[in-house]
PDB file of all heavy atoms in Angstrom:
ATOM      1  N   CYS A 134      16.855   0.329   1.263  1.00 71.00           N
ATOM      2  CA  CYS A 134      16.419   1.542   1.964  1.00 71.00           C
ATOM      3  C   CYS A 134      15.616   1.205   3.216  1.00 71.00           C
ATOM      4  O   CYS A 134      15.781   1.844   4.258  1.00 71.00           O
ATOM      5  CB  CYS A 134      15.586   2.413   1.029  1.00 71.00           C
ATOM      6  SG  CYS A 134      16.561   3.241  -0.239  1.00 71.00           S
ATOM      7  N   THR A 135      14.747   0.212   3.123  1.00 67.00           N
ATOM      8  CA  THR A 135      13.932  -0.156   4.279  1.00 67.00           C
ATOM      9  C   THR A 135      14.807  -0.699   5.401  1.00 67.00           C
ATOM     10  O   THR A 135      14.630  -0.347   6.572  1.00 67.00           O
ATOM     11  CB  THR A 135      12.884  -1.210   3.884  1.00 67.00           C
ATOM     12  OG1 THR A 135      12.107  -0.696   2.807  1.00 67.00           O
ATOM     13  CG2 THR A 135      11.968  -1.533   5.052  1.00 67.00           C
ATOM     14  N   PHE A 136      15.773  -1.535   5.052  1.00 73.00           N
ATOM     15  CA  PHE A 136      16.633  -2.131   6.076  1.00 73.00           C
ATOM     16  C   PHE A 136      17.481  -1.069   6.762  1.00 73.00           C
ATOM     17  O   PHE A 136      17.607  -1.060   7.993  1.00 73.00           O
ATOM     18  CB  PHE A 136      17.526  -3.197   5.441  1.00 73.00           C
ATOM     19  CG  PHE A 136      18.453  -3.858   6.427  1.00 73.00           C
ATOM     20  CD1 PHE A 136      17.976  -4.809   7.311  1.00 73.00           C
ATOM     21  CD2 PHE A 136      19.793  -3.515   6.475  1.00 73.00           C
ATOM     22  CE1 PHE A 136      18.822  -5.421   8.224  1.00 73.00           C
ATOM     23  CE2 PHE A 136      20.644  -4.114   7.378  1.00 73.00           C
ATOM     24  CZ  PHE A 136      20.169  -5.067   8.253  1.00 73.00           C
ATOM     25  N   MET A 137      18.058  -0.152   5.985  1.00 72.00           N
ATOM     26  CA  MET A 137      18.893   0.882   6.573  1.00 72.00           C
ATOM     27  C   MET A 137      18.080   1.819   7.457  1.00 72.00           C
ATOM     28  O   MET A 137      18.557   2.289   8.489  1.00 72.00           O
ATOM     29  CB  MET A 137      19.600   1.671   5.467  1.00 72.00           C
ATOM     30  CG  MET A 137      20.576   0.838   4.640  1.00 72.00           C
ATOM     31  SD  MET A 137      21.810  -0.041   5.640  1.00 72.00           S
ATOM     32  CE  MET A 137      22.665   1.344   6.408  1.00 72.00           C
ATOM     33  N   SER A 138      16.828   2.087   7.078  1.00 61.00           N
ATOM     34  CA  SER A 138      15.972   2.945   7.906  1.00 61.00           C
ATOM     35  C   SER A 138      15.487   2.197   9.139  1.00 61.00           C
ATOM     36  O   SER A 138      15.366   2.778  10.219  1.00 61.00           O
ATOM     37  CB  SER A 138      14.772   3.432   7.093  1.00 61.00           C
ATOM     38  OG  SER A 138      15.201   4.230   6.015  1.00 61.00           O
ATOM     39  N   ALA A 139      15.182   0.909   8.964  1.00 59.00           N
ATOM     40  CA  ALA A 139      14.675   0.129  10.090  1.00 59.00           C
ATOM     41  C   ALA A 139      15.732  -0.041  11.173  1.00 59.00           C
ATOM     42  O   ALA A 139      15.403  -0.226  12.351  1.00 59.00           O
ATOM     43  CB  ALA A 139      14.207  -1.246   9.602  1.00 59.00           C
ATOM     44  N   ARG A 140      17.003   0.043  10.821  1.00 59.00           N
ATOM     45  CA  ARG A 140      18.065  -0.076  11.822  1.00 59.00           C
ATOM     46  C   ARG A 140      18.009   1.073  12.822  1.00 59.00           C
ATOM     47  O   ARG A 140      18.524   0.960  13.938  1.00 59.00           O
ATOM     48  CB  ARG A 140      19.435  -0.088  11.132  1.00 59.00           C
ATOM     49  CG  ARG A 140      19.719  -1.353  10.345  1.00 59.00           C
ATOM     50  CD  ARG A 140      21.069  -1.285   9.671  1.00 59.00           C
ATOM     51  NE  ARG A 140      22.149  -1.146  10.641  1.00 59.00           N
ATOM     52  CZ  ARG A 140      23.419  -0.952  10.305  1.00 59.00           C
ATOM     53  NH1 ARG A 140      23.775  -0.862   9.029  1.00 59.00           N
ATOM     54  NH2 ARG A 140      24.352  -0.829  11.240  1.00 59.00           N
ATOM     55  N   GLN A 141      17.380   2.192  12.420  1.00 52.00           N
ATOM     56  CA  GLN A 141      17.292   3.352  13.299  1.00 52.00           C
ATOM     57  C   GLN A 141      16.088   3.275  14.229  1.00 52.00           C
ATOM     58  O   GLN A 141      15.895   4.144  15.075  1.00 52.00           O
ATOM     59  CB  GLN A 141      17.204   4.629  12.451  1.00 52.00           C
ATOM     60  CG  GLN A 141      18.375   4.782  11.495  1.00 52.00           C
ATOM     61  CD  GLN A 141      18.075   5.762  10.383  1.00 52.00           C
ATOM     62  OE1 GLN A 141      17.071   6.452  10.428  1.00 52.00           O
ATOM     63  NE2 GLN A 141      18.945   5.818   9.391  1.00 52.00           N
ATOM     64  N   VAL A 142      15.239   2.265  14.021  1.00 48.00           N
ATOM     65  CA  VAL A 142      14.039   2.110  14.828  1.00 48.00           C
ATOM     66  C   VAL A 142      14.280   1.054  15.890  1.00 48.00           C
ATOM     67  O   VAL A 142      14.800  -0.020  15.595  1.00 48.00           O
ATOM     68  CB  VAL A 142      12.835   1.703  13.944  1.00 48.00           C
ATOM     69  CG1 VAL A 142      11.577   1.561  14.791  1.00 48.00           C
ATOM     70  CG2 VAL A 142      12.631   2.742  12.854  1.00 48.00           C
ATOM     71  N   SER A 143      13.890   1.323  17.092  1.00 42.00           N
ATOM     72  CA  SER A 143      14.044   0.335  18.173  1.00 42.00           C
ATOM     73  C   SER A 143      13.083  -0.817  17.963  1.00 42.00           C
ATOM     74  O   SER A 143      11.896  -0.604  17.704  1.00 42.00           O
ATOM     75  CB  SER A 143      13.773   0.994  19.525  1.00 42.00           C
ATOM     76  OG  SER A 143      14.693   2.029  19.760  1.00 42.00           O
ATOM     77  N   SER A 144      13.593  -2.031  18.063  1.00 43.00           N
ATOM     78  CA  SER A 144      12.738  -3.200  17.908  1.00 43.00           C
ATOM     79  C   SER A 144      11.807  -3.306  19.101  1.00 43.00           C
ATOM     80  O   SER A 144      12.147  -2.948  20.226  1.00 43.00           O
ATOM     81  CB  SER A 144      13.587  -4.468  17.804  1.00 43.00           C
ATOM     82  OG  SER A 144      14.439  -4.387  16.689  1.00 43.00           O
ATOM     83  N   TYR A 145      10.594  -3.823  18.830  1.00 42.00           N
ATOM     84  CA  TYR A 145       9.659  -4.056  19.916  1.00 42.00           C
ATOM     85  C   TYR A 145      10.176  -5.188  20.796  1.00 42.00           C
ATOM     86  O   TYR A 145      10.774  -6.138  20.315  1.00 42.00           O
ATOM     87  CB  TYR A 145       8.287  -4.439  19.362  1.00 42.00           C
ATOM     88  CG  TYR A 145       7.593  -3.333  18.647  1.00 42.00           C
ATOM     89  CD1 TYR A 145       6.598  -3.611  17.720  1.00 42.00           C
ATOM     90  CD2 TYR A 145       7.943  -2.018  18.891  1.00 42.00           C
ATOM     91  CE1 TYR A 145       5.949  -2.589  17.053  1.00 42.00           C
ATOM     92  CE2 TYR A 145       7.298  -0.993  18.232  1.00 42.00           C
ATOM     93  CZ  TYR A 145       6.295  -1.275  17.309  1.00 42.00           C
ATOM     94  OH  TYR A 145       5.652  -0.267  16.657  1.00 42.00           O
ATOM     95  N   PRO A 146       9.917  -5.141  22.096  1.00 48.00           N
ATOM     96  CA  PRO A 146      10.384  -6.221  22.961  1.00 48.00           C
ATOM     97  C   PRO A 146       9.724  -7.537  22.607  1.00 48.00           C
ATOM     98  O   PRO A 146       8.555  -7.594  22.271  1.00 48.00           O
ATOM     99  CB  PRO A 146       9.961  -5.763  24.360  1.00 48.00           C
ATOM    100  CG  PRO A 146       8.881  -4.771  24.121  1.00 48.00           C
ATOM    101  CD  PRO A 146       9.186  -4.111  22.813  1.00 48.00           C
TER     102      PRO A 146
END
Side-chain angles (χ1 to χ4, degrees):
C134 287
T135 304
F136 180 76
M137 296 306 298
S138 297
R140 290 179 61 186
Q141 303 162 10
V142 181
S143 299
S144 300
Y145 292 158

